[in-house]
Every structure is written in structure tokens, then in C-alpha cells.
Amino acid sequence: LPPTSLHMSPPPTIDIDVAIIGGGPAGCTCALYTSRASLKTVVLDKNPAVGALAITSHIANYPGVDKSMTGSELLTMMRDQAIQYGTEYRRTQVFMVETVSEDGRKIVYTPEATFRARALVLATGAMGRPPTFKGEDTYLGKGVSYCATCDGAFYVGSEVAVVGTNTEAVEEAMYLTKFAKTVHWITSGEVKGEEYMMEQLLGCENVRRWEKTKMVEGHF
């Protein structure tokens, strides 16, 4: 028998006004505005369940939102609102982007389709940093936080730990002293923050510093 050749059609090319990579709060907000402005908008979202908002267990600092609402529920509301105004939402993986073309359009490649957009918005979030200790990714949003201002009020009277040697770690630890029973400041090396800030932090009665200590695993 002669060999059989398999012919696969290339994915369709779709002309749009705005391509938004990322379906988190920034991407949904942008899509809401562009869609309401009658611009053909497509949101390309790899996974709606893994962003910083999606994994948050409780929302307590967003105006008009009951504290019993989860981040996933709030994100669903944002996404649905953008869709109601005409946004096309696609769960897909973007594997290549071309920002220079002959007609000035931005070319976005996905397995299902190629999009030619007049404007490209990157709203890919801040979840790209790999875990630094065992359990960090497992308990993110369930005891592990990257924002003391956002989540500090959840830990009134609790024992909390801040890991880090930079200025941001010192500032976060200082903020948490208003809520926590004890702030355990874990530093593996020399502190890179301002000296006066460190002295101010260590002067707080509820701060305990653990020097030359590395966080290796967390259980919550």
C-alpha cells in the first residue's frame, strides 16, 4: 500500500483590535474598558485557577466585596462582566508573540488560532517566582502571603514569620507588628535594608530575629 500522508490545516488567523494575554484582574479590567469602547477584544488566559487573586481564600480589602468571598469568585465576576460587554475569553497557551510586522499589527500565536491585533496588552501577573521553601506553593493564600498590607489583619494575635533580608522584608515585618502577637524575622544572611529601619524593627517588643537561619519547610 502506498504511504498515507497526513495534511493538517494551519490554525485560523483572526483580526482583532486588542489582544490581552492574562485573565487576572488587570486583564479583565482592561478587557472591560476596551470592550465597552467597541473594540474587538480577546483575552488569552493559560489557567484561570493559578493567579494571585484566584488562589486567595478570602477577600477583605476590596470595596463592596463581602469578606466571605474567595478570590476565585471575585475573579469570575470580573471575567463575566467583561464577557457581558463583548470580550471573547479563551483558555489557551500563548507560545509566541511578534510585535513587529509589515502592517504594524501584533501577532499572537496559540495552538487554536493566530491573532493579529492592533494593540497587545501583557497582563501576565506576578506569579512567576519559583517557591523558595517546601510548602510555599501548597499553602499560598492559605497561610503563605506576599503582601502584609493585604493580609496582615487576618493574623491578629497570631505568631507570624517574615523571611527576607531586603528593605521590603523589613517594611513588611514592621507593618505586621501592629497585628501579630510575635513577628519572627528569619534572615539567612546580611540584611540589605536601611540600618535605621532594622533598628526600629528590632526595637519592637514583639519582634524576634532568627539570624543565619534558612526557611526550608512550612506547615500551616
Side-chain angles (χ1 to χ4, degrees):
L1 296 175
T4 301
S5 59
L6 179 64
H7 297 282
M8 297 183 64
S9 301
T13 298
I14 304 172
D15 285 349
I16 59 175
D17 294 312
V18 182
I20 301 173
I21 302 177
C28 290
T29 301
C30 180
L32 176 62
Y33 276 84
T34 56
S35 293
R36 292 192 67 202
S38 298
L39 298 174
K40 187 177 181 181
T41 302
V42 175
V43 170
L44 306 170
D45 192 10
K46 179 174 66 174
N47 189 342
V50 299
L53 179 59
I55 64 172
T56 301
S57 58
H58 294 89
I59 301 295
N61 61 345
Y62 194 85
V65 172
D66 185 272
K67 65 180 180 180
S68 64
M69 178 175 287
T70 66
S72 178
E73 290 170 339
L74 177 58
L75 184 58
T76 298
M77 289 176 58
M78 293 178 175
R79 182 168 57 246
D80 289 346
Q81 186 178 15
I83 292 172
Q84 288 171 8
Y85 280 98
T87 295
E88 181 182 354
Y89 175 87
R90 292 196 179 209
R91 181 172 178 177
T92 186
Q93 173 74 55
V94 174
F95 61 83
M96 189 169 69
V97 172
E98 292 182 8
T99 58
V100 179
S101 63
E102 293 182 359
D103 59 359
R105 286 182 175 264
K106 283 57 174 177
I107 315 300
V108 182
Y109 297 91
T110 74
E112 297 81 18
T114 299
F115 298 91
R116 300 174 68 255
R118 293 167 53 200
L120 172 65
V121 178
L122 300 180
T124 51
M127 297 298 291
R129 186 177 67 83
T132 58
F133 62 87
K134 186 177 180 180
E136 179 179 351
D137 51 348
T138 302
Y139 296 105
L140 187 58
K142 305 171 186 177
V144 175
S145 172
Y146 298 146
C147 178
T149 304
C150 304
D151 300 330
F154 289 128
Y155 302 105
V156 174
S158 301
E159 302 275 337
V160 302
V162 175
V163 182
T165 59
N166 56 17
T167 300
E168 288 77 12
V170 176
E171 291 175 342
E172 298 284 90
M174 178 61 71
Y175 184 82
L176 287 169
T177 60
K178 298 187 295 182
F179 303 99
K181 178 181 178 181
T182 306
V183 176
H184 298 272
W185 183 28
I186 301 173
T187 58
S188 58
E190 183 180 354
V191 177
K192 304 177 182 65
E194 298 288 345
E195 184 70 24
Y196 78 92
M197 293 177 61
M198 183 176 68
E199 292 177 354
Q200 185 180 12
L201 175 62
L202 294 176
C204 296
E205 294 182 354
N206 61 337
V207 172
R208 181 179 180 183
R209 183 183 179 188
W210 299 79
E211 296 185 71
K212 298 179 181 179
T213 302
K214 184 177 181 181
M215 183 83 169
V216 294
E217 187 171 354
H219 296 277
F220 302 90

